[in-house]
Amino acid sequence: MRIKYNRDQKIKGNLTQNFDKDYAFLEKALDRSGDIVKNVFYVGDTADIQSIMEEQTDTNTDSDTNSIMEEQTDANTDSDISSATKGQTDANTDSDIGRKTVSKRIVKTTQNNKKIKPKKAAVIYVDGMTDADMVEDFVIRPLLKNKCEKTGHDFLSYVENHVMETVDWKEDESFEDILTDILSGNTLLLLESCPKAIILSTKKYPSRGVGETQQEMVIRGPKDSFTENIRMNTALIRRRIRDSRLKMEHTMVGERSKTDLAIVYMDDLVQPELLEKVRQKVNALSFDGILDGGMVEQLLEENVWTPFPQFQHTERPDKAASGLLEGRIVLVVDNSPGVLILPVTYQMFFQAGDDYYTRFEVASFARLLRFAASLFAIGFPGLYVAIAAFHTEMLPTSFLLSIATARTGIVIPVALEVLLMEFQFELLKEAGIHLPGQLGGTIGIVGGLIVGQAAVEAGIVSTIVVIVVSFTAIASFIVPNESFGSVFRLLKFLFIVTAAIWGIYGYLLTFAALLLHLSQIESFGVPYMLPSVCGENLNYDDKKDHYVRYPFAYMKKRPVFTREGRRIRKR
């Protein structure tokens, strides 16, 4: 059989009920595919040998017993040596006759067994992705010990219900689905004369254990984080929401990678329109390989030309569980140590994991600090360029004299000076990310202290610019979400350029354009700027968890994207 593909690169054909042809086709399709284990055997192979050995043992035992009894009888009846000898001779003769009878029965049993044609079976799996001990103990060994004269559907049903010692299995007949399951870590059981194959769930991926999150650190609260194993990630969510209304729909994305993806939601809280929209967009994904949740995020987002994330990425299971209880949807992608939450608004990126585990006064102060830090991270360097280059009259005289003194001997313009220092900081940040931990800290110290101090002493930059860039860098790190904070790295350069060209007017126009752009973004039908935009019309303020966090006693309602009639969370 030739391997043929459809237009969508899927293998054509189903099982033909011819064991040799089907096995040859699968063997050819998996040729040079790596550590593929193929084991062909006969069902009930050890059962026949065991039954013959047991029968032979029983027959020999009966023969020996009869000979002993006859010998004792003859010995008791005759008193002389000749009669005892005669009895012993008769007993030996009877024993020989018994052995001949046993041999005939063994031959007859063997001949009867040869009349029943043994059925072939094969198991195929990938070594390293499959629990080989489970396959050997609960699949192969029971099949070797049990024999059945049934064929077709009856034989398949008998094996599933009476032979296999495992419960997680399914039937399949499509070559495409069978090969996908094998390469996903499952085990194929192919039986002769059966119309379908059995797919056994025996996955055992090499993966790391649950560790501590590296991006969303908290002082108080759970420390566990998601891993690259989708099963472990869904279990971490299920551990926190023990409700039967928590639903998980599993599918595969990627034409060649066939990556597992789970759509997780609360059945009574999610909006049906939102759920159906997400299903359609996920099913419409057509890409060669989906290797991480970041690729799913870029393929599903509605506006690809905005730098602002339209999904909330998190490594924390408690944050994912909190989003589910608000009526949002969580996408869990295999091989990704994080999940995607949708829909999202901009103020959700300023919420940290420990905001809900500490006092509301402390959490509210920290959240306001993050909002203020985001403004400084975006616009502080541009504001300095606009004032120092065009509008020095806006500064007090004493402060202006300090800036002038600091810039004594600096020959390059203010805008170029700021851009040079910002560019140096971005280089140090990228170097620190991609280098090992200890070297990353070392490069930061060397670049921040030694290079910065040397640049000031050489008269390339002024001390005030070093302070501005350092303050901007610290402010950008305060935002708890990395994908949202990285946008500030791009926007601050835009503000610097416009301020260097048009001064404070260009700075303000850029800020207005940014607000206009944010007000036009939607995340699956939800305005990105809630509650600043459409907040009063949608009665969003009842949530009381945006710029500050109210006490839990006042947070009685869920957000507006929860299903109608299900917004009450506390009575």
Side-chain angles (χ1 to χ4, degrees):
M1 296 175 62
R2 273 184 58 225
I3 301 177
K4 299 180 180 179
Y5 291 89
N6 293 322
R7 295 183 61 184
D8 55 357
Q9 296 300 314
K10 292 185 178 180
I11 297 178
K12 294 181 179 179
N14 298 328
L15 295 176
T16 63
Q17 299 189 32
N18 187 317
F19 180 87
D20 294 330
K21 289 184 178 179
D22 294 336
Y23 181 78
F25 181 86
L26 294 172
E27 191 175 29
K28 182 178 180 181
L30 295 172
D31 184 31
R32 294 174 294 175
S33 295
D35 300 328
I36 304 295
V37 178
K38 299 182 283 289
N39 190 354
V40 181
F41 56 94
Y42 288 96
V43 177
D45 198 9
T46 60
D48 295 333
I49 300 175
Q50 184 177 3
S51 62
I52 295 173
M53 293 297 294
E54 290 177 355
E55 186 174 1
Q56 183 178 1
T57 303
D58 295 339
T59 307
N60 291 334
T61 303
D62 295 339
S63 176
D64 295 338
T65 303
N66 292 334
S67 63
I68 293 172
M69 291 180 65
E70 291 178 1
E71 184 177 353
Q72 289 179 352
T73 302
D74 295 337
N76 294 332
T77 303
D78 300 325
S79 58
D80 53 359
I81 299 175
S82 60
S83 62
T85 306
K86 181 179 179 181
Q88 185 176 2
T89 304
D90 294 338
N92 292 334
T93 304
D94 294 338
S95 178
D96 293 337
I97 295 173
R99 291 192 183 96
K100 292 179 181 179
T101 305
V102 171
S103 300
K104 291 180 180 180
R105 291 176 62 187
I106 294 174
V107 173
K108 183 177 180 181
T109 303
T110 306
Q111 291 176 351
N112 291 336
N113 286 333
K114 287 183 178 179
K115 293 179 181 179
I116 303 174
K117 184 180 179 181
K119 298 179 180 63
K120 293 181 181 179
V123 292
I124 303 176
Y125 59 88
V126 180
D127 188 23
M129 297 178 61
T130 304
D131 190 348
D133 294 335
M134 179 180 178
V135 176
E136 180 180 352
D137 295 337
F138 300 108
V139 180
I140 299 179
R141 189 168 297 170
L143 286 171
L144 291 173
K145 291 182 179 181
N146 292 270
K147 60 180 180 179
C148 179
E149 301 179 9
K150 300 178 181 180
T151 58
H153 287 284
D154 295 335
F155 180 50
L156 183 64
S157 177
Y158 176 80
V159 170
E160 293 173 345
N161 299 320
H162 300 284
V163 179
M164 290 191 309
E165 299 177 3
T166 179
V167 295
D168 196 357
W169 52 266
K170 67 177 181 178
E171 297 179 0
D172 212 331
E173 59 181 349
S174 170
F175 283 128
E176 173 68 22
D177 296 337
I178 289 174
L179 291 171
T180 300
D181 282 314
I182 293 174
L183 297 175
S184 298
N186 294 323
T187 299
L188 166 69
L189 174 59
L190 189 64
L191 299 170
E192 189 177 8
S193 76
C194 290
K196 295 183 179 180
I198 301 176
I199 305 297
L200 305 164
S201 179
T202 56
K203 294 179 181 178
K204 189 179 180 181
Y205 293 152
S207 61
R208 62 184 178 92
V210 178
E212 188 172 350
T213 177
Q214 300 297 320
Q215 295 183 1
E216 301 172 86
M217 304 293 293
V218 296
I219 298 177
R220 183 175 182 179
K223 300 295 191 298
D224 55 344
S225 66
F226 290 116
T227 67
E228 290 80 7
N229 192 323
I230 185 173
R231 294 297 183 188
M232 193 175 296
N233 292 344
T234 54
L236 289 172
I237 297 176
R238 177 72 70 179
R239 178 185 179 185
R240 286 166 168 81
I241 304 178
R242 303 173 185 179
D243 193 336
S244 60
R245 290 166 290 188
L246 176 63
K247 306 300 180 182
M248 299 182 181
E249 299 180 5
H250 293 269
T251 183
M252 285 188 177
V253 293
E255 299 296 333
R256 297 181 183 270
S257 65
K258 294 181 176 61
T259 306
D260 293 322
L261 184 146
I263 304 175
V264 187
Y265 58 92
M266 296 298 296
D267 193 28
D268 61 327
L269 299 180
V270 67
Q271 290 187 4
E273 299 82 6
L274 174 62
L275 179 60
E276 185 61 28
K277 186 176 182 180
V278 172
R279 285 174 180 162
Q280 293 177 359
K281 293 178 76 68
V282 169
N283 293 330
L285 285 178
S286 179
F287 204 75
D288 275 352
I290 303 295
L291 307 178
D292 185 77
M295 301 181 69
V296 175
E297 178 181 359
Q298 297 177 61
L299 291 170
L300 293 183
E301 60 186 5
E302 297 178 337
N303 188 350
V304 299
W305 298 108
T306 178
F308 291 94
Q310 298 162 56
F311 292 79
Q312 185 178 10
H313 176 269
T314 180
E315 294 181 345
R316 299 184 56 83
D318 58 333
K319 184 173 288 188
S322 176
L324 290 170
L325 295 177
E326 293 179 347
R328 302 162 73 190
I329 297 176
V330 173
L331 299 181
V332 185
V333 184
D334 197 17
N335 305 317
S336 178
V339 300
L340 302 174
I341 310 177
L342 64 101
V344 68
T345 60
Y346 84 101
Q347 50 89 17
M348 292 179 178
F349 294 104
F350 295 93
Q351 299 173 357
D354 52 357
D355 283 356
Y356 302 93
Y357 308 129
T358 58
R359 296 287 303 173
F360 74 95
E361 300 92 346
V362 178
S364 299
F365 172 76
R367 192 171 297 179
L368 290 174
L369 192 64
R370 296 185 198 115
F371 279 103
S374 65
L375 296 177
F376 279 103
I378 294 175
F380 191 41
L383 182 63
Y384 170 76
V385 171
I387 294 177
F390 294 93
H391 307 282
T392 55
E393 67 278 3
M394 297 177 61
L395 299 176
T397 304
S398 58
F399 187 54
L400 181 60
L401 291 175
S402 299
I403 294 178
T405 303
R407 284 191 50 80
T408 302
I410 306 299
V411 296
I412 61 176
V414 176
L416 185 59
E417 182 184 2
V418 174
L419 286 174
L420 181 63
M421 288 301 298
E422 289 288 354
F423 183 70
Q424 178 194 357
F425 169 74
E426 294 298 330
L427 289 178
L428 293 173
K429 184 176 181 181
E430 285 297 318
I433 291 174
H434 297 290
L435 285 175
Q438 296 180 352
L439 292 178
T442 303
I443 197 68
I445 296 174
V446 171
L449 296 180
I450 300 178
V451 176
Q453 183 65 27
V456 171
E457 293 179 356
I460 300 176
V461 296
S462 61
T463 54
I464 189 65
V465 170
V466 175
I467 295 173
V468 169
V469 172
S470 302
F471 185 80
T472 304
I474 296 173
S476 64
F477 288 132
I478 293 180
V479 180
N481 189 280
E482 190 274 335
S483 60
F484 192 77
S486 61
V487 180
F488 302 156
R489 300 168 60 184
L490 301 177
L491 292 179
K492 66 181 178 183
F493 286 103
L494 178 62
F495 276 87
I496 292 173
V497 172
T498 54
I501 298 175
W502 296 295
I504 195 65
Y505 302 105
Y507 177 85
L508 295 177
L509 286 175
T510 305
F511 201 89
L514 176 62
L515 293 178
L516 180 63
H517 173 71
L518 288 172
S519 63
Q520 293 177 343
I521 302 176
E522 290 187 355
S523 175
F524 290 87
V526 177
Y528 200 71
M529 287 289 287
L530 274 178
S532 301
V533 176
C534 302
E536 295 182 359
N537 296 335
L538 297 176
N539 197 20
Y540 190 84
D541 289 335
D542 289 340
K543 184 171 182 283
K544 301 184 183 301
D545 185 28
H546 30 83
Y547 299 113
V548 295
R549 184 181 78 78
Y550 280 57
F552 286 119
Y554 294 90
M555 297 170 59
K556 297 181 178 181
K557 290 188 178 182
R558 299 185 178 94
V560 293
F561 33 79
T562 310
R563 178 182 292 188
E564 189 68 26
R566 298 284 184 174
R567 291 194 59 194
I568 302 299
R569 82 163 97 210
K570 180 181 181 300
R571 298 187 184 276

